[in-house]
Amino acid sequence: MNYRKAPSLPSVTLDDVRGAQKMLSGVARVTAMEGSRYLTQLVDAPVHLKCENLQRTGSFKLRGAYVRIAGLLPEERAAGVVAASAGNHAQGVALASSLLGVHSTVFMPKGAPLPKISATRDYGAEVRLHGHVVDETLAAAQEYAAETGAVFIHPFDHPDVIAGQGTVGLEILEQCPEVRTIVAGMGGGGLVAGVAVAVKALRPEVRIVGVQAAGSAAYPPSLAAGRPVSIENPATMADGIKVGRPGDVPFALVGNLVDEVRTVSEDELSTALLLCLERAKLVVEPAGASPVAALLSDPGAFGGPVVAVLSGGNVDPVLMQRVLRHGMAAQGRYLAVRLRLTDRPGALATLLGALSVVDANVLDVSHVRTDPRLGLTEAEVELHLETKGPAHCVEVGEALRKAGYTVID
């Protein structure tokens, strides 16, 4: 798709990224590059996974946060820093501040996952819970900065942050010099902008593809309009890329350097997360799995070798459980069925016997006898089944109907 190019802004250069790389030496890990046989077969070209989910604090965010804070003047460091985040940026700022001896205050939404709140505190930040959505938390952090003089550390809209994230691109070129396509998730755009700055300066022929969640995709309309455009009520399970408006600084870079922005669905995100866990043995959060989701949705669109950046692995265990079940359902490996049967002794055992014949594993059963919708001799049963794929789901449904059961869609 051809977008209107944003005006060029001299904000971040290859020298900036190289300077950030020197600054991060001994601080950020040079994360592993792992091959994926499954994705290689699917794409019909080598596919490598850049494992930023194994970075310190569990995401690439440490890179940008450290470079930004390290560049502060002594009087700015003395005033402390403040940030707002639901997770990854919070932990990056907390650890970077601790390493640099700077006091950090991090505002997080009241509904932020407890493991992320605990980790941010453990890295040394003072955590304040405020608001129920990130916009409210962001406003509180900016108000705190105005009142106290603390320096606000933006998660993506600052040249130093983008330069830090761009070090991922330098590592990719060092680890996979033959790369032809780099795919990375994008919310505000800091990561993909930084990677594009570094890679396009050294290898302009490499294709850079950004990936957004369809329910939180602010870049396509913004690029079409030639300016950052806000979208209302962004919604996605991928909280790491759930941003309603592109940052001004990364937007200009993305418009000039990124070749394509794609979107992926929630089903594709959950399927990608499940694939990373099962096939690559990597715990990846939904935002981090977005490049894999893009490969799965249109494998023929990517020239290889391909590098997919797994940007983070900080997934809440409760969300992980829901996402995995969602991913299994999307792959036809989990099936929920409601049906009616005659309420008599042995009826449920007969139903379970019919399911065993088609080798459907029953995970749990809900049996309702008293409901105004039911006839005097009827009962309703809801079954959660473990299945083997779409074809098996169809087989289970046909077997139940053939046995005389009324399946309620």
Side-chain angles (χ1 to χ4, degrees):
M1 183 180 294
N2 293 321
Y3 296 113
R4 290 172 54 189
K5 295 296 185 181
S8 178
L9 294 177
S11 52
V12 186
T13 67
L14 175 61
D15 286 343
D16 295 328
V17 180
R18 283 175 165 160
Q21 188 176 45
K22 291 179 181 178
M23 192 178 294
L24 288 167
S25 178
V27 175
R29 294 173 181 151
V30 176
T31 52
M33 184 87 77
E34 299 287 344
S36 171
R37 181 164 42 179
Y38 178 85
L39 291 173
T40 292
Q41 292 174 342
L42 184 70
V43 175
D44 196 26
V47 175
H48 306 279
L49 306 176
K50 176 60 171 168
C51 298
E52 283 295 290
N53 58 311
L54 302 180
Q55 183 57 262
R56 296 178 71 178
T57 75
S59 87
F60 71 97
K61 290 288 190 178
L62 171 65
R63 297 174 184 262
Y66 187 91
V67 173
R68 174 75 173 100
I69 298 169
L72 296 178
L73 298 172
E75 57 268 27
E76 291 176 318
R77 292 195 189 193
V81 299
V82 60
S85 168
N88 290 347
H89 181 59
Q91 294 172 64
V93 168
L95 179 56
S97 299
S98 294
L99 293 172
L100 291 164
V102 176
H103 180 267
S104 63
T105 303
V106 177
F107 285 77
M108 303 182 75
K110 292 179 180 178
L114 292 178
K116 293 186 178 182
I117 295 172
S118 177
T120 303
R121 285 185 174 133
D122 288 345
Y123 286 127
E126 175 189 345
V127 175
R128 300 191 180 192
L129 302 180
H130 183 91
H132 296 281
V133 296
V134 174
D135 285 345
E136 295 173 349
T137 308
L138 183 64
Q142 291 173 324
E143 182 179 346
Y144 176 89
E147 291 175 351
T148 65
V151 179
F152 178 68
I153 307 299
H154 200 285
F156 51 82
D157 203 12
H158 193 279
D160 289 349
V161 172
I162 294 170
Q165 321 305 27
T167 59
V168 174
L170 294 180
E171 289 179 16
I172 289 173
L173 294 183
E174 292 166 2
Q175 294 170 308
C176 184
E178 69 278 14
V179 63
R180 288 182 57 202
T181 305
I182 297 173
V183 190
M186 58 191 302
L191 172 62
V192 76
V195 168
V197 166
V199 173
K200 288 291 189 178
L202 295 169
R203 293 275 308 282
E205 76 280 8
V206 174
R207 187 170 180 79
I208 308 293
V209 179
V211 184
Q212 293 208 287
S216 183
Y219 262 94
S222 297
L223 289 166
R227 58 181 174 80
V229 173
S230 297
I231 59 171
E232 294 184 4
N233 303 317
T236 175
M237 71 176 80
D239 58 354
I241 52 175
K242 185 180 176 181
V243 177
R245 182 186 183 277
D248 293 329
V249 179
F251 175 78
L253 295 167
V254 168
N256 286 302
L257 298 174
V258 172
D259 297 283
E260 183 181 9
V261 175
R262 288 176 167 255
T263 62
V264 292
S265 69
E266 299 298 284
D267 282 351
E268 289 163 345
L269 285 169
S270 57
T271 299
L273 187 149
L274 182 61
L275 183 142
C276 289
L277 186 63
E278 287 190 326
R279 298 300 183 99
K281 314 306 177 190
L282 292 169
V283 176
V284 182
E285 62 188 273
S290 59
V292 175
L295 296 178
L296 293 175
S297 67
D298 191 5
F302 301 90
V306 179
V307 173
V309 182
L310 306 182
S311 58
N314 293 319
V315 57
D316 177 46
V318 175
L319 175 62
M320 172 70 89
Q321 185 180 38
R322 294 207 314 265
V323 171
L324 290 180
R325 180 167 286 193
H326 187 79
M328 289 177 69
Q331 288 189 334
R333 295 168 54 190
Y334 178 84
L335 180 64
V337 177
R338 283 194 305 129
L339 49 83
R340 290 182 183 177
L341 45 73
T342 302
D343 187 16
R344 65 171 183 269
L348 183 58
T350 301
L351 168 63
L352 298 179
L355 291 169
S356 69
V357 170
V358 289
D359 202 21
N361 185 34
V362 178
L363 299 175
D364 54 79
V365 179
S366 175
H367 195 192
V368 178
R369 288 189 175 89
T370 56
D371 190 292
R373 298 171 301 151
L374 299 175
L376 185 63
T377 60
E378 286 184 320
E380 186 172 287
V381 175
E382 182 172 350
L383 300 155
H384 293 176
L385 308 173
E386 185 179 6
T387 47
K388 301 174 183 178
H392 191 213
C393 291
V394 173
E395 182 185 355
V396 170
E398 290 177 348
L400 291 172
R401 292 184 180 91
K402 187 175 180 180
Y405 295 104
T406 301
V407 178
I408 305 170
D409 295 328

